[in-house]
Every structure is written in C-alpha cells, then in structure tokens.
Amino acid sequence: MAKKTGHYTVVGTRQPRLDGALKASGRAEFTDDVVLPGMLQGKIVRSPIASGKILHIDTSKAEKLPGVRAVITYKDTSGLMSGSDKFLLCENMVHFFGDEVAAVAAVDEDTALEAAELITVDYDPLPPLLSMEEAMAAGAPALHDFMTDNIADEISMSFGEPDQAFAESDYIREDEFTVQPTHSAFSEHHIVLADFSLPDRLTIWTPIQSSAIIKSSMARNLSLTDSSVRIVNLHTGGAFCGRGADKPHHYIAALLSRKAGRPVKIMCTADEEFLVYRGGGKYKFKLRTGVKKDGTLMVMDADLLHDCGAYMETQFILLRFVGSNMQALYKMNASRYSGKLIYTNNPPYFFHHGAGLVAMRFAIDSQLNLIAGELGIDPVEFRLKNAVEKGYITPAKFTYASCGLKECITKAARKAGWKKKHGKLPPYRGIGIGCGMLRSGGKGMYDHDNSSVFIKLEEDGKAALFTGLPDMGQGSHTTMAIIAAETLGIRIEDIKVVAGDTDVTPYDVGAISQRGTFTTGNATINAALDAKRQLAKTAAEKFGVKPAAIIFQDRKVYPKGSPEKAVSFEDIVYATLHSDEGRYVMGRGFYNPPSGQSDMSKYEANTALAYSFGAQIAEVEVDPETGMVKLLRMTVAHDVGRAINVLGVEGQLDGQVFSGMGQTLFEECVMEGGQVLNPSLLDYKLPRPFEVPEIERIIVETSDPYGPFGAKEVGQGPIQCTSQAIANAVSNAIGVPIKELPITPERVLKAIRERS
Amino acid sequence: MKQILSLTVNNDTYEVAVSPWRTLLDVLRDDLGLMGTKRGCGNGTCGVCTVIIDGRAILSCLTLALECAGKSITTIEGISSPESLHPIQKSFIENGAVQCGFCTPGIVMTSKALLDEKPQPNDDEIKEALAGTFCRCTGHIKIMEAVKKASQPK
Amino acid sequence: MRLPRFEYVRPQALEEALSVLAQSGSRAKILAGGTDLLVNMKQRTVCPEVVVSIKTLPELLMVSSDAQGFTAIGSSANLTDLAANAGIAEKFPAFIQAVRAIASKHIRNMACIGGNVCLDTRCWYYNQSKLWRDSRERCLRTGGSVCHAIKGAARCHAINSSDTAPVLVALDAKISIMKKGEKRLIPARQFYCDDGIRNTILEPSAIVTAIHLPDGNGAGRSSFIKLSMRRGIDFALCSIAARASFNGAGVTDVKLVLGSIASMPIVLEKAAQIITESGLTESAIEKAGEVARTELGSITNLFTSAGYKRQLAGVLVKRALYELREKTAKRGRAKA
C-alpha cells in the first residue's frame, strides 16, 4: 500500500485516463487517420546494400508514371543533413541496408510503390564492416570519408581515485557482458504527414516525444524560422525512447511536399520499421569491480563498446549516460569509464527502451551477484549494504534529496519470500534480484529545459490545461490534470487537456529525459497557483480577508476557518470574469529544474534534482532439456516519490517489466550481412500473454522535496531493474553466470553443458 | 477491374467499388472513413486491425474486401452508443488497460468476440484469444485483468 | 503493406474451380483462408495473376465418415470450427491438438485445414519483403541458383512448418487431390516431398479436396507436442506426432514423426523400432531419444541452430513417448 503524507483529494487515487473513452472507442486520432485534401502518398527508395558507391540514379521512368507528383534525390536537398554525419539522401555512398536514396510522392500508395520500383540506382558494392571488431581492426577502412577511423565518438570519465580504490580492495573481479541489438517495436509504425505547400510554412503531423526538438531541428535544417514550423503531435502509439527526435522520413516528406505543392504522407511498412527504428545496438561492456571482503563496494571501472551503426545521430547521449550513471546506484569510492561508439554498416542505432542504461544495469548487477556469491554474502544483504540513500553524494556529485532504494529492496524481498526461497529452491528453479535508478526531470538534453503550462478557466468553472508535453501512453496528460485539479481544489472531471499543437500550446522540451511528471508537473503547479492567485484576489475582496487566507477545496472557495461561508469555485471564476476590468483567468506557469548543470559535456554534478529507485525480484523455472525459461513471477518495488495516479503508475510498472522481460529473454535483431534476419513481429520475439509473469506491485513513496506533490519519474526507472533480476534468477537456477542478453534457450543449454 | 461491393458494417450498408487487391482494412479506412480500425504490421502478427465478422475476431489486413459481401462486419465504431460505452470498453478504461491506445480497438474487438462466444472464459482462454495481439505499453497485464473483470457476472 | 494486382475468380462449384485452374496453370493460386497466401503476396514472393477463391465451395466443406473406415474432412473446413469439433477431437485427439496449436486464434478464425496441410515451406531468406530479398542474390526458390541457408546446397532446404503435417503422416492419413478430370487418394507420407520448393506433390492446377483420417484406432494412442518460443502465435521450433497401438503382446505400429525441422515431416524409423522391440520402458524411451538425434541426418540453421534442433528432436521423442505411456496407463487403469 502506498504511504500517504498529507491528505490529497485527487493525487494518489486510481484515476482512469482522461482520453480513455476516445482511445477505447477508436476515436483517438493518430497520424494515419489524418486525411488532407490533395494528400499524396510517399515512398522512400532505400539502399539494398550495406555499403557501396552510388554510380547512377535514374528517376526518369518514375517521373513519367501517371499519378506521380514529385520525385526527389540528393539534388533536391541542397545538401541537407538530417544528422551530424548523415546526408538526408545519399549522393555518393550508402552506408547501411535501408539508407535513404530517393523518394516519390504519388496520388495513391500503389502508384507510389510502382514509381519507387521504377527508380533505378546503380551501385558499386563495397565489403561492409559488420561488427565492431571488424570496424576497429588495424587497417580497416573508415566508413565515412570525413573520418580516419570508425570511432564515431569516445569519452572517458573518472570520479574519485579509482586506482587507490582498487589498491584498497580485497577482491577484484572482471567480467565482460554482451547485449545483442534490439528494436523499439512500438505499435504505431513510423509515420509523417508533411504540408510544405505554402512558402515558409511547414506543418508536420507525426508521433513524437518532443515537439520542441523536431520543430527546431526541422526549422534549422530547412532554413526556416522556428515559428514557421508547426508540429501537430496527435496521439502517439508508443515511444519507449524511440521517438525522441526528427528522422530522415520527416524531412523527406517535407521536401516531397514542397516539390509537389501538396501534403505528403509517408508511413513505414513492417519491414521498413526494422530499418528506421534506431533501436539498441550491440553492446559490449567490460566491467572491473573492487570490493572489500565484507562486501563494501569500492570501485567500478568499465569499458563500453557500442555499435552505433552507420550514423551516430544522438547516441553520444548514451555514451555519457552510461558513464555517469554507473556510479549512481550503489555507494562507492570511485568509478572510471571509457566508452566508444563504433561505426559499422549496420542500421543506425540509438537506444532501446530504458534510455540506453538497461544493458549497463544488467552488467553491473549481474557481476555484483557473482561477487556476492564469491564472498558468501546474500545478494539482498549485499545490495542493502551498498545501496545509496537520502543525503548521499556520489563520486560524480549526484545528490539524493529522497531515496527509497533500501525500502524497495526490503519490501520486495519480503513480498517475494526471498529468505524462504534463495538457496532453497529445487533444481532449475531460481530467484534473483535487480536494482536500478533513473534521474527525474533530467536536464542537458537540449539547449534549455523549460516546461510551460497555461490554464484557462471557463465561466462554468471548468479548466483547460494547455501543455506542449506529449502523451505517448504513459498518461502524462492525466497526471497534469490531476496535479492541476489538486492545486486548484477542483475535480479531475473539471479539467480538459489541450495538447499536441505547437501553434497552440506553450513550450515544453518534451517527454524525454523523464521530464513529464517532474518538470511539466511542477510547471503545472505553477500555472495552477497563478490561476489560483487571480481567483484568490476576487475571493479576498468578496470575503474581506487577505488572499492568503482563501481556501480552495473540492470545488468550494471559503475563508480559512469559515467553511460555512463557502461559495462555489464556478462563482468565483464568474465573478472574476465579470469584474470591472474583465479579469479573464489565465494561469501561466513554467519550470526549469534549478539543478545547476545543464551541459552535457560536464559529467559531474546533478543534472537532475530527483531520482527514482527500484528493486525487482524475479522467479524463474528453467527446462534443462530445452533451455526454455519460464518467468513465473516478478515482484516489483519502485520509489516514485508520490504516485500521482496509482493506476498509471501500476501501468508503467507492468509495461516496463514486460519490456525488460522481452529484452532479457526474447528480443534480438539477428544480424547477417547488415540485415536483420527477423524483421517482423513473428520472428522478432516479444512476449505475449502466455509468457507474461504474475506481477506483484509495491509502490514506495518517499515524498521528494522537489517533485510535484513529492512525485518523481516512473517512465523508465522500473525497466532499469528488470533484466538483471531475471538474469540473476536464471543464473541462480542453473548455477552458471549469465553474461549475454537475450537469454535464449540455446544459450541456457550451452551454459548448462559447460557447467557439467 | 473494380467490382461493386455491398458491405454491411455496424448494421449500415455501403456500396463501394473495389479492386480485388484491396483489403477490408483499406476499404474500412479509406473508403468508409472508419478510422477506428488501425493499420499495423500488415502480416497477421499484431492484431491491431481486428474486426468481428460473423461473430469471430478477424484480421482485416489479411481479408480481401470482395470476400466480405453478405457478412456482418462489426468495427470498433459499432459497439458503443452515444449513451454508453460497451462494458468491455468501460472495463478497459477503469482498469488501466489503455495507454497509448493504438492497439486498443483491435484488442477490444478481440475481447468482445471472446466474451460473446464465452461469457466466462478462464485465464488460459483469455490468453489464447489475446495471443494474436500485441501491446507493448501494458504488456497485456491490465488488459487481461480488464477482460476478466468484464466477464464476471454483475 | 500492399497486395500486388491480380484477377479474382470465385467459382460456385468445385468443377468450375478445377476448370479455371486447368486453364490458368501456374498463373493461378488458390485462396482458402488467405493467412499464408496474402502475406506471401504482400512480400512479393508469390505474385499470381489469378487468385481462385475456394473457401466457400460446398464440396470442400463436408465432414463425413466413409465406408472404408475413414473420416473425411473437406479442405475448406475452418480451423476454429475444427478445433471445436468434439467428435473429431475424441476420435483423433492428436490431430485436433495440432489444429489448436496452429498460429493464433485470429488466424484460425480465418484459415482452412487445406491451407495448413499444404502450407508453404518457410525460410529466413525467403519469407521476407521484396526490399529485403533484393539485397541478396536470388535464391533457388526465387529463380536463382544459390541457397542462403546452406552455402553450396544443391536444393532448397526451406522448412515445412505445418503443425498438422506430421500428425497426418503419423496417423497414416490419406489426402484427396483433384484436378480437372482426375481424382487421386494419396497416403500423407507420399504427399510430402523432401524439397523446400516443391514440398508437396501438388501440381499448380490441382487442389487438396479432403483429408481422410483412419477410424478404428481404439487400441491406439496418439500424441502431438509443439515446442515454440511463444505460445499461441509462433511456428514450431520442432514438433512431434507420435502414435502406437497396443495389444496383449505389446506395442505395435509405432510412428514417430518430426515436424517443422526439415522440408518434409521426418519419420523416425530407428527410434520407433526400439519401442516396437522393447515396449514403452524408460530405458527404451531414453534410447529412442538418443537414436532420434542421429537418425535426423543433416538439418539447417534456419530459425535456430542445427544442434539445438537436434536436441529438441531428442527431447520431443522422449516426451511424446512418455505421454503415450501415460495415456496407456490411464486407459489401463480405467479398464481395470
């Protein structure tokens, strides 16, 4: 049961989402549901080879096909780059299977397909670099002509005195962990509708996590002013870290639209999804850890190699995140890290669900389990011993104003029956624990970190809340409505949320970096307080008291101590509007977390004021003959600061356990020759109902001093715990360390055989 | 060569001219403007395009429109009224089984077909019916809870 | 994904359908449930000029018992209807188990038994979109000369992934095939070919009209097990259909047939022989599992490694045999 500090009316309830009826009735509008007059269908022509020179592009036949309205190649792009290292449409070289070479827009999809097939491109294939080892080998050719090698980015960080810490360690262990490439696999395919048919005015309909980022990127790259770009972000069919930025198809649709003078829609087909997704690349993580013999953690030293595929895009974020977050979960004296992004001719990667940190958490917590085993310390005790806590300052100067990690560990262990089970299960049954954390309201992902909210009040006492924050399913809009209702002293059904159009809504950096609940939530409080102040002025005049003495509670307004004098909220709104000055109530609020550092190049110091923490315990059963792993139960405890919407928080825990489970037991892009061999939901395995475990949810509330009503993020923190909980459980079941994800049946069998 | 097709969808009759290669999904969305049924994988693995035909959950992306003459087709638009959502829809909303909402119509229709056939399915029957659908947001967990609750006698 | 253009024909009777097929030859494909054909068409692995719809032909929808002691099931019988057919389930439990294990419920709602019996083989390098396949040399199946699954292979090794195929072979079922002017009845074992391309003997203008399951298996037991990564959606990594008859003397007529592991169902003669000789003892069963592995011959790395498939084959043989033993024991106890 969640612990409540203070009495809330709306916060902390189980609130069905406000757009539930729209979505459950099929009325919620997604980008593919938008039909504009004269709209054309676009199709992208992609490279069929992983590496090679373009010798010749012939679009003449396509241009003549009846129904074709525009064809573009690099010649139509003025050298536009859709990333720091990617030309939108290739001119001389292609670098991955699927690289964008040309595009057509036609009156219908069949014609567009036919036209695309009529575009002939002659290639001179080159031997592709398909693994990081190949790309880093001495003498390997540089994939990009502006590079001399294939190290797309590299970084080193060191906090504290690692060498000294190793010298003081009693026991040092080194392991290497591998995570195979993965795919975002959201329900709604990548899609864009672009209208660039009027000069200097671009409208984009697309599912996206940040309207602000795509807006400013597209403006800059297309030489437009920011305000001449309008992003309409209707409902978004899932994102899971995969829709954080503009991608080539956005620009391609815009250029086709400009050339044709009509709106153009491009929707990626099922196989294209496995080319445009920018999911998780292959991950090799070498970890060396020093501890004292009593289990005190001293130091971690890690080397990361991450396959970034053909283009780096924004993966430098992952490189930095891993290094700075390594030292954030357990107390240690020092940490050191070096990370490299390696170019290969694989599809460009970014990060999979979990902000690119899941693989690192899997590695760290799996190794800690091995260390605990060698030292004869119970894994739960080991974690409790080293868990960070409130007030602790990490080597990289993260500070924790609230921290429920120990509470999560203890509660999860108790609920799961750890003591009765660990070391006492029958053969091939296992139990394992995994811990994780994630920053809340993180900064540094963009030029600034602003969230702004408007609240307008109608004469009937109802409110409209305007936010630029997308809701990709996580329920952010309902959360904002709850926060506003609580602050204003009204009910959630009194609030509607207006979002998804940058022409209408105020600025918001977006639903990235766990900014929703924390940053936009605080902006919402500020907007509601502003509206409240305007109303309090009217009420104060009416009641003859100071504005500070006015209480807003459950749609009533009264002076403190005299509830019998209460009038309705609606009356005060009405009176304000009908004041002599005609004071229409418009609450405005903004918030930029005052955590200081907002510079991605600096790794120290808090880039966030708050962090969520969690612990999960997995129970598995392994079939020793087939190697198949059945995940029986997950006990999930997460410190969310405050559960603004308990139903929403539960949904996040469930979904992330599911995604974490997928990444751990099932998901792998099987690569060959730069191609994904399993580019469909049939062959790229995600769990289905029969595979889903029983789940026990424990919501821990530590009431963060900076979070809105004490709330912190829950959108990506839980998944940081899942993989290693399951991996540790499997390891426990078969008596062999797990060093690679996903834990496929074959890998399990191999491990069992090697043990015997 | 287009054929004139008479389709009965949500108890309304429509006449459309269709080519043989158009799927029921295409016709529902592009010709009849019924956008509630979504386009997903197109190859039968995700279930977002599920409609009910003659009482069964059917993937409209793998159904030729021409083969639907004379059948009773129900889409997500057809199961609620202006006065009230269908009990399954209500259960989904109340129990947190809706997040991004993209898969929701297909899964609601799948669930409705199940409960119409088996008003009180056991857990395995629910899982079997839903195994052809894909929900990344909820991991199917609250969806199964919602279907179970919708099936309980009031 | 879009379907290619085609002409659609919907005959009203079987005779008419056979005429159209005879006329069209390899330009035509038959459409039953469409859950396999339409996906292949979207991927452009199959682009028929003519699609002949046979799902509603009355002659293909009949279920009946014939005088020869077989139950005939029309090839257009819907899989969900079949799965719910209690009478057939009682007589042929392994067959209905296999039907219930096919794909997902959505697919079964749409698909027909004929489609699963004749299911096209599958391969990582074939069941891909045109975009994907254009990046590689054409393979043996798509008009080229290489096999991507096995380098240097002289023939196609795509895998028969039908769940019902191994059961039909194990039960000694027969298959009715018709083309214009010709009707044949073929043992299931002879219907399937060890070839990834022409994996059945069916010619382009012929269709399977019915499957015939032999009645009178009162003394027999059958078992079907499907191993897949996920339940309720996936093709098998490996499957097995097993049967045996029991009389006072012991176990006879043992059939062990592996599915989804090669281009055709594999009948394990040696493993079956061990059981015939020694009965369903634990040591015989374990030995049969071992022998099965070696009896397999070479297999592909498609969808999972050959070594793992071999392991699964051995495991499935044992599990199927233990199941048969368990069913015999139950029956024995019930009788006593």
Side-chain angles (χ1 to χ4, degrees):
Chain A
M1 277 300 288
K3 177 182 64 183
K4 273 202 199 155
T5 311
H7 169 72
Y8 299 121
T9 316
V10 195
V11 166
T13 55
R14 301 175 70 83
Q15 178 58 50
R17 55 187 306 134
L18 295 182
D19 56 8
L22 273 182
K23 288 179 172 174
S25 66
R27 284 176 176 75
E29 217 180 2
F30 291 83
T31 302
D32 194 26
D33 303 331
V34 179
V35 178
L36 298 178
M39 185 175 83
L40 303 171
Q41 299 287 343
K43 189 76 192 160
I44 299 174
V45 175
R46 300 180 177 279
S47 165
I49 56 175
S51 173
K53 298 192 179 125
I54 296 177
L55 299 174
H56 185 60
I57 305 175
D58 181 356
T59 60
S60 55
K61 290 203 192 73
E63 288 173 48
K64 293 194 192 88
L65 186 70
V68 170
R69 297 286 178 260
V71 178
I72 59 170
T73 67
Y74 67 90
K75 293 182 186 146
D76 302 280
T77 66
S78 315
L80 191 156
M81 300 195 71
S82 57
S84 60
D85 50 10
K86 168 147 171 70
F87 287 99
L88 178 67
L89 292 176
C90 302
E91 180 183 350
N92 300 308
M93 294 281 293
V94 292
H95 294 298
F96 75 98
F97 165 62
D99 212 346
E100 292 86 4
V101 176
V104 306
V107 294
D108 58 50
E109 212 178 331
D110 286 334
T111 309
L113 262 180
E114 202 182 329
E117 308 241 315
L118 290 174
I119 294 178
T120 51
V121 186
D122 296 324
Y123 297 96
D124 179 16
L126 293 168
L129 296 167
L130 297 174
S131 70
M132 293 191 281
E133 289 73 23
E134 273 177 50
M136 293 191 307
L143 205 137
H144 289 290
D145 54 21
F146 54 83
M147 303 277 297
T148 53
D149 60 26
N150 293 309
I151 301 177
D153 195 10
E154 65 183 310
I155 195 173
S156 300
M157 337 175 164
S158 181
F159 305 109
E161 304 291 337
D163 292 326
Q164 186 182 331
F166 274 116
E168 290 168 14
S169 301
D170 298 322
Y171 175 72
I172 296 173
R173 194 185 159 111
E174 183 166 330
D175 296 281
E176 184 167 343
F177 298 87
T178 306
V179 176
Q180 298 296 342
T182 51
H183 182 286
S184 321
F186 26 70
S187 262
E188 183 192 14
H189 290 182
H190 288 84
I191 182 170
V192 58
L193 170 57
D195 188 355
F196 208 177
S197 56
L198 285 178
D200 299 323
R201 179 111 188 105
L202 170 64
T203 308
I204 297 282
W205 288 257
T206 195
I208 196 92
Q209 287 175 245
S210 168
S211 301
I213 288 179
I214 188 174
K215 184 173 143 95
S216 68
S217 292
M218 292 194 82
R220 185 177 59 244
N221 289 333
L222 293 169
S223 304
L224 296 167
T225 60
D226 215 65
S227 52
S228 52
V229 176
R230 175 182 171 215
I231 306 293
V232 183
N233 173 25
L234 298 165
H235 295 280
T236 293
F240 317 110
C241 292
R243 293 207 224 246
D246 41 303
K247 290 192 183 163
H249 59 275
H250 293 115
Y251 293 97
I252 291 172
L255 293 180
L256 282 170
S257 174
R258 184 156 66 183
K259 193 164 186 186
R262 288 158 67 159
V264 174
K265 182 188 280 186
I266 298 180
M267 178 158 153
C268 293
T269 52
D271 56 339
E272 281 180 295
E273 279 296 291
F274 282 81
L275 299 172
V276 306
Y277 64 115
R278 276 71 173 156
K282 189 164 182 174
Y283 202 99
K284 276 191 173 313
F285 196 74
K286 231 185 253 169
L287 181 62
R288 190 161 159 262
T289 299
V291 301
K292 289 273 201 222
K293 58 175 176 282
D294 69 353
T296 306
L297 188 53
M298 295 292 289
V299 56
M300 283 187 177
D301 185 351
D303 280 297
L304 167 66
L305 287 179
H306 191 255
D307 182 347
C308 78
Y311 300 106
M312 187 177 73
E313 307 202 340
T314 40
Q315 291 168 67
F316 58 87
I317 296 171
L318 182 160
L319 212 59
R320 279 145 187 76
F321 263 8
V322 170
S324 58
N325 275 276
M326 268 175 59
Q327 50 86 57
L329 180 63
Y330 299 110
K331 293 181 193 168
M332 60 185 84
N333 292 13
S335 76
R336 182 163 52 213
Y337 162 82
S338 109
K340 292 189 176 68
L341 291 180
I342 308 296
Y343 280 129
T344 65
N345 291 110
N346 289 317
Y349 294 115
F350 188 19
F351 38 57
H352 194 30
H353 194 191
L357 300 172
V358 166
M360 174 266 287
R361 287 283 162 231
F362 154 67
I364 286 181
D365 246 359
S366 298
Q367 190 190 57
L368 289 183
N369 236 47
L370 296 172
I371 293 173
E374 309 257 309
L375 296 178
I377 302 176
D378 174 88
V380 166
E381 290 310 313
F382 190 92
R383 281 162 180 78
L384 282 172
K385 187 179 180 55
N386 293 296
V388 295
E389 53 209 356
K390 178 173 161 177
Y392 179 74
I393 301 176
T394 74
K397 304 203 175 36
F398 289 21
T399 59
Y400 302 130
S402 71
C403 176
L405 180 56
K406 286 187 178 165
E407 194 180 338
C408 288
I409 296 170
T410 310
K411 284 186 168 163
R414 186 158 56 226
K415 192 82 197 216
W418 179 271
K419 284 206 167 70
K420 282 197 307 261
K421 290 174 184 165
H422 188 254
K424 300 172 177 129
L425 291 169
Y428 299 109
R429 291 278 299 265
I431 188 167
I433 183 167
C435 298
M437 51 83 71
L438 196 64
R439 66 183 193 163
S440 190
K443 296 176 61 143
M445 299 289 285
Y446 189 61
D447 299 340
H448 56 84
D449 292 284
N450 198 321
S451 280
S452 313
V453 170
F454 294 146
I455 293 180
K456 77 174 185 188
L457 295 180
E458 312 264 11
E459 277 188 284
D460 61 0
K462 305 283 192 259
L465 189 158
F466 290 72
T467 174
L469 181 74
D471 188 330
M472 303 94 65
Q474 80 280 39
S476 56
H477 292 170
T478 305
T479 301
M480 297 312 130
I482 292 173
I483 288 173
E486 189 72 53
T487 308
L488 286 167
I490 55 178
R491 299 208 191 125
I492 185 140
E493 49 270 32
D494 300 336
I495 305 201
K496 71 180 171 208
V497 177
V498 178
D501 185 340
T502 56
D503 269 6
V504 172
T505 55
Y507 194 87
D508 196 300
V509 169
I512 53 171
S513 199
Q514 287 35 72
R515 297 181 71 265
T517 298
F518 192 90
T519 311
T520 306
N522 275 322
T524 302
I525 289 183
N526 290 343
L529 288 174
D530 188 41
K532 209 159 146 177
R533 265 190 294 278
Q534 294 166 47
L535 295 172
K537 181 176 149 106
T538 309
E541 282 164 13
K542 179 183 169 58
F543 292 117
V545 298
K546 288 207 169 76
I550 299 293
I551 305 292
F552 292 78
Q553 176 88 29
D554 201 23
R555 289 179 176 153
K556 291 193 181 21
V557 185
Y558 56 89
K560 191 167 181 178
S562 308
E564 71 285 354
K565 293 189 184 159
V567 297
S568 72
F569 184 85
E570 184 187 333
D571 284 346
I572 296 298
V573 172
Y574 187 92
T576 310
L577 178 61
H578 289 264
S579 60
D580 289 339
E581 309 95 6
R583 295 197 309 267
Y584 186 74
V585 181
M586 292 174 282
R588 62 176 193 137
F590 44 80
Y591 184 75
N592 179 0
S595 51
Q597 294 288 0
S598 179
D599 182 348
M600 281 297 280
S601 68
K602 294 186 167 49
Y603 324 123
E604 279 190 7
N606 271 336
T607 56
L609 287 176
Y611 295 79
S612 84
F613 296 88
Q616 292 176 18
I617 292 180
E619 294 172 64
V620 304
E621 185 168 52
V622 177
D623 180 335
E625 291 188 309
T626 64
M628 289 181 177
V629 176
K630 176 111 185 96
L631 181 59
L632 300 169
R633 186 174 304 106
M634 288 294 300
T635 306
V636 178
H638 212 81
D639 164 22
V640 302
R642 168 91 54 232
I644 303 280
N645 181 354
V646 174
L647 200 57
V649 169
E650 289 176 355
Q652 285 304 297
L653 298 181
D654 291 354
Q656 289 173 59
V657 161
F658 174 84
S659 272
M661 172 196 182
Q663 289 185 51
T664 313
L665 296 174
F666 291 95
E667 294 179 55
E668 178 176 349
C669 289
V670 182
M671 304 299 298
E672 186 184 272
Q675 275 185 310
V676 178
L677 285 187
N678 53 340
S680 78
L681 290 178
L682 183 62
D683 293 318
Y684 179 84
K685 312 280 183 194
L686 277 135
R688 294 279 171 129
F690 279 110
E691 287 71 50
V692 166
E694 278 177 34
I695 183 163
E696 285 280 356
R697 310 173 191 110
I698 301 165
I699 298 177
V700 169
E701 292 183 314
T702 52
S703 229
D704 189 85
Y706 300 105
F709 299 100
K712 301 188 280 191
E713 74 86 42
V714 71
Q716 298 240 53
I719 198 177
Q720 307 295 326
C721 314
T722 315
S723 288
Q724 57 273 30
I726 298 173
N728 286 335
V730 175
S731 177
N732 183 240
I734 64 176
V736 180
I738 298 291
K739 303 270 189 88
E740 184 172 357
L741 295 184
I743 308 171
T744 60
E746 278 189 74
R747 290 183 183 128
V748 170
L749 276 188
K750 183 159 180 271
I752 293 175
R753 274 199 195 109
E754 280 168 10
R755 180 198 68 192
S756 11
Chain B
M1 178 75 176
K2 289 194 184 179
Q3 283 184 43
I4 305 291
L5 174 67
S6 179
L7 274 184
T8 306
V9 184
N10 302 329
N11 293 320
D12 286 327
T13 309
Y14 300 85
E15 282 223 334
V16 278
V18 296
S19 309
W21 51 86
R22 297 198 63 225
T23 63
L24 176 62
L25 179 63
D26 294 336
V27 171
L28 288 172
R29 289 179 61 86
D30 302 336
D31 293 10
L32 306 187
L34 295 168
M35 296 298 197
T37 309
K38 302 302 177 194
R39 266 192 190 108
C41 69
N43 56 40
T45 49
C46 76
V48 303
C49 68
T50 304
V51 297
I52 296 178
I53 300 184
D54 295 337
R56 291 206 168 145
I58 300 289
L59 302 169
S60 59
C61 75
L62 291 182
T63 302
L64 296 181
L66 281 185
E67 301 216 308
C68 296
K71 295 187 197 247
S72 171
I73 301 168
T74 311
T75 68
I76 187 73
E77 289 87 348
I79 67 169
S80 56
S81 70
E83 290 78 38
S84 175
L85 292 174
H86 189 280
I88 292 178
Q89 290 168 313
K90 285 191 202 164
S91 185
F92 268 57
I93 298 165
E94 279 156 23
N95 291 295
V98 180
Q99 288 194 30
C100 81
F102 194 77
C103 74
T104 307
I107 297 190
V108 165
M109 297 310 281
T110 303
S111 305
K112 182 179 188 302
L114 170 68
L115 294 186
D116 286 348
E117 180 202 353
K118 281 192 170 88
Q120 260 119 60
N122 61 37
D123 286 351
D124 270 7
E125 285 166 337
I126 295 176
K127 289 177 185 182
E128 188 184 31
L130 293 176
T133 66
F134 171 57
C135 177
R136 216 209 212 296
C137 295
T138 67
H140 301 268
I141 296 168
K142 281 187 183 294
I143 289 176
M144 293 193 281
E145 282 173 25
V147 174
K148 198 73 194 259
K149 290 203 174 133
S151 73
Q152 271 145 20
K154 301 281 178 290
Chain C
M1 288 175 66
R2 312 292 303 165
L3 285 167
R5 297 184 168 116
F6 58 88
E7 189 194 327
Y8 173 83
V9 177
R10 189 164 177 183
Q12 298 304 307
L14 180 57
E15 194 66 43
E16 195 191 329
L18 295 176
S19 293
V20 173
L21 289 172
Q23 261 181 296
S24 313
S26 55
R27 290 171 51 238
K29 277 279 184 199
I30 54 167
L31 174 69
T35 54
D36 201 48
L37 178 66
L38 295 184
V39 175
N40 289 342
M41 286 171 69
K42 286 186 179 191
Q43 293 184 324
R44 305 294 190 276
T45 49
V46 170
C47 289
E49 289 172 42
V50 182
V51 166
V52 182
S53 178
I54 61 166
K55 194 171 179 178
T56 53
L57 289 177
E59 299 93 329
L60 304 184
L61 289 168
M62 298 192 301
V63 178
S64 61
S65 285
D66 67 26
Q68 283 74 43
F70 282 77
T71 297
I73 301 172
S75 60
S76 288
N78 171 266
L79 292 183
T80 292
D81 289 340
L82 256 187
N85 189 318
I88 299 192
E90 202 190 321
K91 277 206 256 180
F92 309 105
F95 174 70
I96 294 300
Q97 260 179 289
V99 169
R100 287 188 182 138
I102 296 172
S104 67
K105 192 160 178 206
H106 291 77
I107 300 272
R108 293 196 298 276
N109 286 344
M110 301 156 71
C112 305
I113 186 62
N116 192 258
V117 170
C118 302
L119 192 66
D120 246 355
T121 54
R122 299 184 62 80
C123 169
W124 252 339
Y125 301 92
Y126 172 76
N127 294 90
Q128 302 281 8
S129 68
K130 185 171 182 303
L131 166 68
W132 195 102
R133 287 178 293 108
D134 280 349
S135 72
R136 291 169 187 255
E137 237 184 292
R138 294 220 169 285
C139 72
L140 293 167
R141 195 158 174 193
T142 51
S145 53
V146 300
C147 173
H148 296 298
I150 298 187
K151 306 274 179 284
R155 55 153 267 224
C156 175
H157 286 276
I159 297 184
N160 181 323
S161 307
S162 158
D163 292 313
T164 53
V167 181
L168 296 180
V169 172
L171 295 183
D172 290 319
K174 292 191 203 267
I175 297 179
S176 279
I177 300 173
M178 285 181 75
K179 69 177 191 185
K180 188 173 168 84
E182 191 180 305
K183 180 175 179 167
R184 301 201 290 167
L185 192 62
I186 307 231
R189 190 167 179 170
Q190 290 164 25
F191 179 73
Y192 295 105
C193 309
D194 191 17
D195 181 359
I197 299 175
R198 298 252 5 252
N199 67 305
T200 72
I201 56 158
L202 216 54
E203 293 154 19
S205 52
I207 63 176
V208 167
T209 53
I211 61 171
H212 304 262
L213 301 173
D215 291 343
N217 262 335
R221 303 283 174 272
S222 61
S223 166
F224 172 78
I225 306 175
K226 173 177 179 174
L227 277 178
S228 58
M229 279 302 288
R230 300 171 301 175
R231 189 173 151 190
I233 176 89
D234 280 339
F235 285 102
L237 289 171
C238 190
S239 65
I240 188 164
R243 58 143 294 147
S245 292
F246 304 89
N247 56 33
V251 188
T252 60
D253 204 14
V254 179
K255 285 262 186 357
L256 295 166
V257 184
L258 288 174
S260 301
I261 200 173
S263 300
M264 68 183 282
I266 297 185
V267 178
L268 297 171
E269 312 270 12
K270 294 200 182 94
Q273 182 69 13
I274 291 172
I275 303 301
T276 306
E277 282 167 3
S278 314
L280 283 169
T281 64
E282 189 171 327
S283 62
I285 291 175
E286 295 293 319
K287 187 149 181 254
E290 288 306 309
V291 163
R293 271 174 239 254
T294 52
E295 197 178 347
L296 275 177
S298 72
I299 43 181
T300 67
N301 279 332
L302 285 172
F303 307 112
T304 188
S305 75
Y308 185 62
K309 286 190 210 181
R310 214 175 287 284
Q311 165 76 11
L312 291 185
V315 170
L316 278 176
V317 164
K318 288 191 300 183
R319 288 185 183 178
L321 290 171
Y322 279 120
E323 244 184 61
L324 288 182
R325 189 169 86 154
E326 180 64 27
K327 286 180 182 177
T328 320
K330 277 203 186 116
R331 210 24 129 77
R333 282 197 293 273
K335 271 189 176 157

